[in-house]
Amino acid sequence: MTSDRDPCRRAPSPAATSQGSADSASSGAGTGAATASDGGAFRLVIDQLREGIATLAVEDFTVQYANHAMLRMLGRSESEVVGVPLTAFLDADDGAGIVELAQASAAGRLEVDLVAADGSRTPAALSLTRIETATGSLLGVSAFNLTGQHEQMRQQRERFELMGRRKDEFIAMLGHELRNPLAPLRHAAELLESAGQGDAGISLPDITLLMRRQVDHMARLVADLLDIGRASSGRIMVRREPTRIAEVIDAALESTMRLAQRRSHMLVHDRGTTRGLVLDADPVRLTQVITNLLSNAIKYTPECGRIELRCVLDGDSLRLQVTDDGRGIAAADLEQIFEPFYQAGATLDRGAGGLGVGLAMVRRIVELHGGTVAAASPGIGAGATFEVRLPGARRERTTGSVAVAAPEAGLGAPGLRILVIDDNEDAARMLALLLEGRGCAADAVFLGNDGLKMLAQHTYDLAFVDIGLPDLDGYGFARQIAGTSACPQHLIALTGYGQSEDRRRALEAGFHEHLVKPLTPQRLDEILGEARSSAIRAASPTD
């Protein structure tokens, strides 16, 4: 049931088209000829559409016309489709749905499976529209192939399922990694209690060394968790500045050397290759990249292995490689190892340790610097190489160096008076004991207002102040005393809030320095050395 003005009617024969064109030419613009020409053009356009188009008889849904896309979705030729009800190419339920939709409204949409002659199925979104023509009614049908969307949904579902498994594995890993250090710490506390009761068979140096190792491990776990959280929310920032590569590598080697020695690894690096190398980078984050790569190599290399760190200038880029002769990486894992929480070949004993975030952080930091990172390995048991490329590198001429005296460390700071303010009473008392052990006079209070009272009664050279105090937070405390005679020469925020915004707020409030818990013994000695030097200068007579 088509009309002359139906755009989906049968295309006219070549003879009719030629005759129509001739009539049009002779009469100027014959109405019938123009309609025939337009109908043929419409047919050509509709046949080229990627969307399936068909017209059906209202009474029995017989197909009157189907374009090429519709025929492809049905998997049949035109002669196999035209004159056959559309419901013949659908499951019974889908066919009933088409009938119900056509009877219920003048237009509607539903998803069906179009069944081809060979039994294959094409998921499609069918839209039906009732059209009134000069000769009666018909149904216009459009079919949008949903195969691509279904495949995307399948892949997305698999990705979500994988993320769910990774999350569950991560929670299990986190529980394992946290319980591991907690157990020896609890036992160490019991041994210390026994030592306090006079048990002479207990070695205090061994206990303290154990506690320090486990606390360092927990601190690394917390730092990893915070970093991956910032990376996931896009809050990791890099502050580029001219950075000497040799200094960054020295810091990374120092951080990993103890672990390498415990596993009897040979850690090889030629310092001569980095002489004069400078890169526009964030030195803290770049140190983190190299440390993570070295730690990863150390963890996945059996004892007595060899790990080599190479660093060269390649044009205007820095090319840094960490190569080991360890466990190796399967080809299927070479890309996935940079995903958060992924650990290739993780076993129940969790021998390698960690949360599976180190390499994810490496990639994120490198990309923020405009660089790339890739892993290569001949296969399982054949070692691996990680290569980082970073732009903005150059070699500067060295004209000699001037030795600068570092603050005295490890010598204590006798005579310094120090105030510790922290609402965690254990943390405050332990820090005060450490300071007293270094020859300082230390007072510990647990509220901000109590700290103000102590400053009104005594003069302090140094103050460690927590930010999250319950009565008067650290920012408010600093604002009240900054610039007054009561303010110590070194006012330091010692806090668990470690983001760049926290540091900015602390310095704006009046703190001289912002440090993140826990404070290492080396950093504590450096701070005391600086405070001692300041106290000596203040006590010296001026010229």
Side-chain angles (χ1 to χ4, degrees):
M1 293 191 297
T2 61
S3 69
D4 287 342
R5 299 196 63 80
D6 178 13
C8 297
R9 71 182 181 83
R10 289 281 158 228
S13 66
T17 304
S18 301
Q19 182 62 44
S21 300
D23 291 344
S24 175
S26 62
S27 63
T31 304
T35 302
S37 178
D38 289 349
F42 267 125
R43 170 65 184 268
L44 290 174
V45 171
I46 292 172
D47 274 343
Q48 297 303 313
L49 291 177
R50 298 178 63 183
E51 186 176 22
I53 301 293
T55 57
L56 314 177
V58 174
E59 298 82 7
D60 58 3
F61 302 98
T62 300
V63 179
Q64 297 179 341
Y65 161 78
N67 72 347
H68 295 326
M70 180 66 85
L71 295 175
R72 283 194 299 271
M73 280 190 276
L74 293 172
R76 292 173 169 84
S77 65
E78 184 177 24
S79 62
E80 294 174 302
V81 172
V82 174
V84 180
L86 181 64
T87 52
F89 311 120
L90 306 172
D91 289 332
D93 290 342
D94 287 343
I98 290 283
V99 174
E100 183 179 349
L101 182 63
Q103 293 173 347
S105 61
R109 180 182 182 277
L110 76 164
E111 293 187 9
V112 300
D113 280 346
L114 300 177
V115 184
D118 62 0
S120 61
R121 295 169 176 269
T122 300
L126 289 190
S127 295
L128 273 68
T129 304
R130 191 181 183 96
I131 304 172
E132 302 298 333
T133 72
T135 57
S137 300
L138 57 84
L139 288 174
V141 177
S142 65
F144 186 79
N145 192 331
L146 296 176
T147 302
Q149 285 84 338
H150 281 201
E151 177 60 20
Q152 290 178 358
M153 291 172 63
R154 184 191 66 79
Q155 294 177 359
Q156 189 174 41
R157 183 174 62 252
E158 290 181 353
R159 187 163 57 251
F160 285 151
E161 290 173 353
L162 177 61
M163 291 172 61
R165 290 196 300 272
R166 293 258 183 90
K167 178 203 69 176
D168 293 341
E169 292 170 0
F170 166 71
I171 291 174
M173 284 191 292
L174 180 60
H176 179 279
E177 292 297 314
L178 288 176
R179 289 189 184 99
N180 267 355
L182 285 177
L185 285 173
R186 171 175 289 181
H187 298 329
E190 293 173 0
L191 289 172
L192 286 174
E193 184 177 5
S194 298
Q197 296 172 358
D199 190 337
I202 295 175
S203 171
L204 290 180
D206 289 343
I207 295 175
T208 55
L209 184 60
L210 176 148
M211 295 179 70
R212 179 176 296 179
R213 279 201 308 268
Q214 300 306 322
V215 169
D216 287 346
H217 177 62
M218 292 188 72
R220 285 194 299 271
L221 290 178
V222 172
D224 284 346
L225 286 172
L226 291 174
D227 274 343
I228 204 64
R230 295 184 192 116
S232 300
S233 58
R235 289 183 290 116
I236 281 195
M237 305 293 291
V238 295
R239 291 176 172 79
R240 299 193 190 191
E241 59 185 65
T243 301
R244 297 190 181 279
I245 301 303
E247 296 176 3
V248 169
I249 289 178
D250 284 348
L253 289 171
E254 182 180 352
S255 297
T256 54
M257 187 61 69
R258 184 182 299 175
L259 178 60
Q261 290 172 345
R262 283 211 304 268
R263 296 177 67 87
S264 302
H265 289 325
M266 180 185 294
L267 198 52
V268 180
H269 170 60
D270 182 1
R271 295 189 82 256
T273 61
T274 60
R275 187 175 295 114
L277 270 183
V278 175
L279 178 72
D280 293 326
D282 185 321
V284 174
R285 291 300 181 184
L286 187 56
T287 302
Q288 185 178 2
V289 165
I290 301 173
T291 300
N292 284 1
L293 290 176
L294 290 173
S295 297
N296 183 76
I298 293 169
K299 286 191 295 185
Y300 290 99
T301 300
E303 289 190 2
C304 302
R306 175 187 171 91
I307 298 165
E308 185 172 358
L309 172 61
R310 292 190 293 271
C311 187
V312 297
L313 183 64
D314 188 357
D316 63 350
S317 295
L318 177 72
R319 182 158 56 89
L320 187 146
Q321 290 181 331
V322 175
T323 301
D324 64 69
D325 57 2
R327 184 183 299 181
I329 307 170
D333 292 324
L334 287 174
E335 182 61 26
Q336 294 189 74
I337 56 176
F338 293 103
E339 296 294 325
F341 314 132
Y342 184 82
Q343 289 191 328
T347 56
L348 188 61
D349 64 2
R350 300 280 303 123
L355 298 176
V357 300
L359 293 179
M361 285 305 306
V362 166
R363 167 170 281 183
R364 181 60 181 150
I365 294 169
V366 168
E367 289 177 346
L368 285 173
H369 282 83
T372 60
V373 59
S377 174
I380 299 299
T385 296
F386 288 82
E387 180 172 286
V388 172
R389 286 180 175 268
L390 294 167
R394 57 197 177 275
R395 193 179 297 277
E396 293 184 345
R397 289 185 177 179
T398 56
T399 58
S401 59
V402 178
V404 178
E408 293 181 67
L411 300 178
L416 290 181
R417 183 149 197 169
I418 301 174
L419 177 63
V420 178
I421 309 174
D422 196 326
D423 62 320
N424 185 325
E425 296 187 15
D426 287 342
R429 289 195 175 102
M430 287 301 102
L431 180 54
L433 286 174
L434 284 175
L435 293 169
E436 289 174 356
R438 284 164 167 78
C440 305
D443 295 322
V445 295
F446 317 120
L447 296 174
N449 286 320
D450 288 344
L452 293 176
K453 294 176 182 176
M454 295 298 290
L455 287 174
Q457 300 170 14
H458 308 284
T459 299
Y460 291 96
D461 302 291
L462 172 65
F464 292 103
V465 183
D466 185 30
I467 293 297
L469 299 172
D471 59 338
L472 174 66
D473 66 36
Y475 301 127
F477 179 89
R479 279 191 290 268
Q480 286 199 34
I481 67 169
T484 70
S485 59
C487 184
Q489 285 187 304
H490 293 266
L491 181 62
I492 296 177
L494 182 60
T495 173
Y497 297 105
Q499 299 186 39
S500 57
E501 174 65 13
D502 302 318
R503 182 177 186 278
R504 183 191 63 79
R505 289 185 64 189
L507 297 180
E508 287 181 353
F511 283 105
H512 301 134
E513 196 166 355
H514 174 274
L515 300 176
V516 178
K517 297 177 180 178
L519 193 59
T520 66
Q522 294 83 359
R523 188 69 183 105
L524 177 60
D525 286 338
E526 290 174 2
I527 292 168
L528 294 180
E530 293 167 1
R532 183 184 182 192
S533 298
S534 297
I536 292 173
R537 285 194 299 270
S540 299
T542 58
D543 292 336

